[in-house]
C-alpha cells in the first residue's frame, strides 16, 4: 500500500507521455495539410536550400521587403531585410526549391515589433501601390525593367505574401496592390500565375487588410495565433473559424510559433495544437494547413522539421 502513490504518479506520467505521442502520431498520420514557413529572420537558420531539403515544407516565404511606400518608384525607395543572409546564392536556392515543387513567396511588411519594421512601410496612395506593384513585378517576379536590379537574379518568385502589421491597424491601398499584381496573371499565358497570400492577425477582422481581402484575389490566408493579440487567445477556436467562414474561396492556415522562444504565451505543444485546434480546423472545407513562424525556431526546436 505504501507504494501506491508512487505507482499512480508513474502511471499518470506514462499516460501523459502516451497522449503526447498519440497527438504527434495523429498529426503525422492525418497530415496537417500544406506547411508554410517563414525564412529570412535569422542568419543561423541556414540557407533557403537547406530549408527546402528538409522535406518538411510545401511553401517557403522569404521575409521581408520592409521598406516601401515612398514616391518615385526608384530602387532606393525599397529595402529588403534578410537578417544578414548574403544575397549570393539565394536565386539558385529559389530555383532549387521550385524544382522540388515548393512554392517560394516574398513577404512584404513584417511585424511592427521586429525592429520597428512596421514604421518603415505604408501605401498611403493609389500611386504608391502602383509603384510597389511595378517594383515587385520587375525586381522579384516575372518582369524586368532597365535600371531595376533583381536581388535574386533571374529567379522568379511564385508570388507575394501581405504581412501588414502596423499600429492601430492602419489601412492602406493594399487592395489596389493586390489587383495590380493579380492582373499579371493574364500575361503568363498558361504558366503559373502570381500567388497572393495574406498573413493576418488572429482577431477578426484585420483592419489593415480587410479591403485587400475583399477583392477575393488571395489564394491563402495565414491566421496568426500568436503575436500578443489580446483579443484572440490561442485556445479560442472561434476567431480562426470566423476567418475560414469569411473567405470560403481562400485556403485558411493555422499560424503558430515553432518554439516558446518566439512567443512563450502563444506557444502550443504539438498535443495542444492537435487536440485544441487542428482536429476542429481540419473539418472546415477550406482548411489549408499550418503556417510556421519561423524556420530558425523550427530548426532549433524540431517542431515540424527534424533538421
Amino acid at each position: 500500500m505504501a507504494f501506491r502513490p508512487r505507482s499512480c504518479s508513474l502511471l499518470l506520467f506514462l499516460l501523459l507521455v502516451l497522449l503526447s505521442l498519440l497527438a504527434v502520431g495523429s498529426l503525422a498520420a492525418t497530415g496537417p495539410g500544406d506547411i508554410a514557413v517563414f525564412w529570412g529572420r535569422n542568419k543561423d537558420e541556414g540557407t533557403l536550400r537547406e530549408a527546402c531539403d528538409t522535406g518538411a515544407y510545401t511553401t517557403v516565404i522569404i521575409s521581408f521587403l520592409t521598406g516601401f511606400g515612398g514616391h518615385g518608384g526608384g530602387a532606393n525607395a525599397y529595402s529588403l531585410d534578410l537578417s544578414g543572409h548574403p544575397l549570393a546564392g539565394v536565386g539558385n536556392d529559389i530555383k532549387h526549391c521550385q524544382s522540388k515543387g515548393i512554392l517560394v513567396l516574398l513577404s512584404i511588411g513584417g511585424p511592427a515589433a521586429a525592429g520597428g519594421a512596421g514604421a518603415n512601410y505604408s501605401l498611403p496612395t493609389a500611386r504608391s501601390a502602383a509603384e510597389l506593384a511595378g517594383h515587385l513585378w520587375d525586381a522579384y517576379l516575372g518582369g524586368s525593367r532597365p535600371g531595376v536590379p533583381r536581388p535574386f537574379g533571374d529567379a522568379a518568385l511564385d508570388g507575394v505574401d501581405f504581412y501588414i502589421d502596423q499600429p492601430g491597424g492602419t489601412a492602406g491601398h493594399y487592395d489596389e496592390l493586390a489587383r495590380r499584381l493579380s492582373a499579371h496573371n493574364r500575361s503568363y499565358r498558361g504558366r503559373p500565375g502570381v500567388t497572393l497570400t495574406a498573413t493576418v492577425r488572429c482577431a477578426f477582422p484585420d483592419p489593415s487588410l480587410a479591403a485587400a481581402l475583399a477583392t477575393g484575389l488571395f489564394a491563402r490566408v495565414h491566421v496568426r495565433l500568436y503575436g500578443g493579440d489580446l483579443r484572440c487567445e490561442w485556445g479560442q477556436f472561434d476567431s480562426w473559424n470566423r476567418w475560414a467562414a469569411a473567405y470560403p474561396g481562400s485556403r485558411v492556415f493555422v499560424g503558430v510559433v515553432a518554439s516558446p522562444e518566439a512567443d512563450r504565451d502563444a506557444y502550443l505543444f504539438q498535443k495542444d495544437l492537435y487536440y485544441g485546434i487542428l482536429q476542429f480546423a481540419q473539418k472546415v472545407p477550406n482548411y489549408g494547413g499550418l503556417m510556421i513562424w519561423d524556420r530558425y525556431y523550427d530548426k532549433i526546436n524540431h517542431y515540424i522539421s527534424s533538421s
Side-chain angles (χ1 to χ4, degrees), residues 100-295:
K100 299 170 76 72
I102 296 171
L103 202 70
V104 186
L105 309 176
L106 173 67
S107 189
I108 64 171
N120 295 335
Y121 61 85
S122 64
L123 281 185
T125 65
R127 176 185 172 188
S128 60
E131 290 172 349
L132 177 57
H135 177 74
L136 289 169
W137 176 250
D138 292 327
Y140 297 100
L141 299 170
S144 63
R145 181 158 51 94
V148 178
R150 293 184 61 88
F152 306 139
D154 62 356
L157 294 170
D158 297 300
V160 179
D161 174 69
F162 291 42
Y163 195 126
I164 309 304
D165 185 23
Q166 294 176 303
T170 305
H173 287 70
Y174 295 100
D175 53 338
E176 177 70 13
L177 176 62
R179 291 188 188 95
R180 287 182 175 270
L181 289 173
S182 182
H184 286 293
N185 287 334
R186 294 192 294 269
S187 69
Y188 269 83
R189 298 180 182 177
R191 294 169 53 200
V194 179
T195 299
L196 298 182
T197 67
T199 300
V200 299
R201 288 176 172 268
C202 179
F204 180 87
D206 188 333
S208 296
L209 286 172
L213 289 169
T215 64
L217 298 173
F218 287 78
R220 302 179 179 183
V221 178
H222 309 133
V223 182
R224 289 182 282 146
L225 304 188
Y226 63 89
D229 193 339
L230 299 179
R231 295 177 298 164
C232 182
E233 297 178 5
W234 65 262
Q236 297 176 336
F237 177 70
D238 177 65
S239 187
W240 186 91
N241 205 34
R242 290 180 69 189
W243 279 105
Y247 301 103
S250 302
R251 299 176 66 217
V252 182
F253 284 59
V254 174
V256 295
V257 293
S259 168
E261 290 186 32
D263 188 333
R264 186 166 299 276
D265 293 333
Y267 177 71
L268 291 166
F269 289 98
Q270 285 184 324
K271 63 181 180 64
D272 296 322
L273 173 62
Y274 178 75
Y275 288 114
I277 302 292
L278 290 187
Q279 68 169 333
F280 305 109
Q282 288 174 335
K283 297 176 182 178
V284 176
N286 57 330
Y287 167 77
L290 291 177
M291 182 276 283
I292 305 299
W293 181 271
D294 55 16
R295 167 58 185 158

Side-chain angles (χ1 to χ4, degrees), residues 71-89:
H71 289 308
N76 293 332
Y78 309 97
S79 59
L80 179 67
D81 177 13
L82 297 184
S83 304
H85 282 286
L87 287 178

Side-chain angles (χ1 to χ4, degrees), residues 14-25:
L14 292 174
L15 180 61
L16 290 174
V17 170
L18 178 61
L19 286 173
S20 180
L21 291 174
L22 285 173
V24 174

